[in-house]
Amino acid sequence: MRRLIGTLLLVITFVAGGTVAANAAPLPTCKSVDLDITSIDRGVAAGTAYREIKFTMRRLGACVLKGFPGVSYVDRADAQVGNPAYRNGPTGDLITLAYEASVSATVGFGNPGNYDPEVCEPQPVWGIKVYPPDEFVPLYVGYVDEVGCGSTAVTPLSVTAVYRS
């Protein structure tokens, strides 16, 4: 009898454990309000400056990110300057962020001097507006004395998908 009760308890525990795991809610997508954003210079090559944009989870709990952030130059009035960054490379993996964990994306800033001034239409910019993947509320990184192409005839910005930092 004890053996039968022990076996039944083991089976009930196993089944209940499987049911709980099967019904667990997926983690939410990280929202802008959950994230801090920083920028780190990563060098220059072939007329393009590269900066790592780092997203750091600032709240307790966990969330996920996958894909490309939206990146565009903005002026002091928050108006977009030129085209948004084009997506460079594969979409990447789903990454879970816990408190104080980070992911990054690399942004390429093509030098406006690489383009004919009549095509680029150089103009001063305040910085960049960054939308985390699958988010509609922007974050901002300010850059002093930046110049971007105001024309939509060229796209000097590029961005990679987020990756583990």
Side-chain angles (χ1 to χ4, degrees):
M1 185 67 151
R2 284 185 187 178
R3 189 180 292 176
L4 178 60
I5 292 172
T7 304
L8 286 174
L9 287 175
L10 182 61
V11 169
I12 290 169
T13 302
F14 177 76
V15 170
T19 302
V20 171
N23 291 333
L27 291 173
T29 299
C30 299
K31 301 293 183 195
S32 296
V33 70
D34 302 330
L35 303 168
D36 284 327
I37 187 172
T38 55
S39 172
I40 304 160
D41 286 337
R42 291 297 182 208
V44 178
T48 300
Y50 293 94
R51 293 183 177 127
E52 179 182 340
I53 303 299
K54 185 179 254 188
F55 300 97
T56 302
M57 178 67 158
R58 67 178 181 185
R59 70 168 177 87
L60 295 177
C63 59
V64 294
L65 283 176
K66 178 180 181 172
F68 296 89
V71 178
S72 60
Y73 277 125
V74 291
D75 63 18
R76 289 196 180 277
D78 193 31
Q80 183 172 313
V81 176
N83 286 325
Y86 69 88
R87 296 173 172 187
N88 186 10
T91 303
D93 298 322
L94 184 68
I95 302 171
T96 300
L97 280 178
Y99 179 64
E100 294 188 340
S102 297
V103 297
S104 296
T106 300
V107 179
F109 296 81
N111 184 334
N114 294 344
Y115 306 95
D116 179 334
E118 290 182 15
V119 175
C120 171
E121 300 172 12
Q123 70 181 63
V125 297
W126 172 83
I128 58 171
K129 180 186 292 192
V130 180
Y131 293 91
D134 298 321
E135 177 60 314
F136 300 101
V137 176
L139 300 168
Y140 294 88
V141 178
Y143 297 117
V144 178
D145 298 326
E146 284 283 326
V147 175
C149 290
S151 167
T152 56
V154 295
T155 305
L157 294 172
S158 65
V159 64
T160 66
V162 293
Y163 53 86
R164 294 185 194 285
S165 302

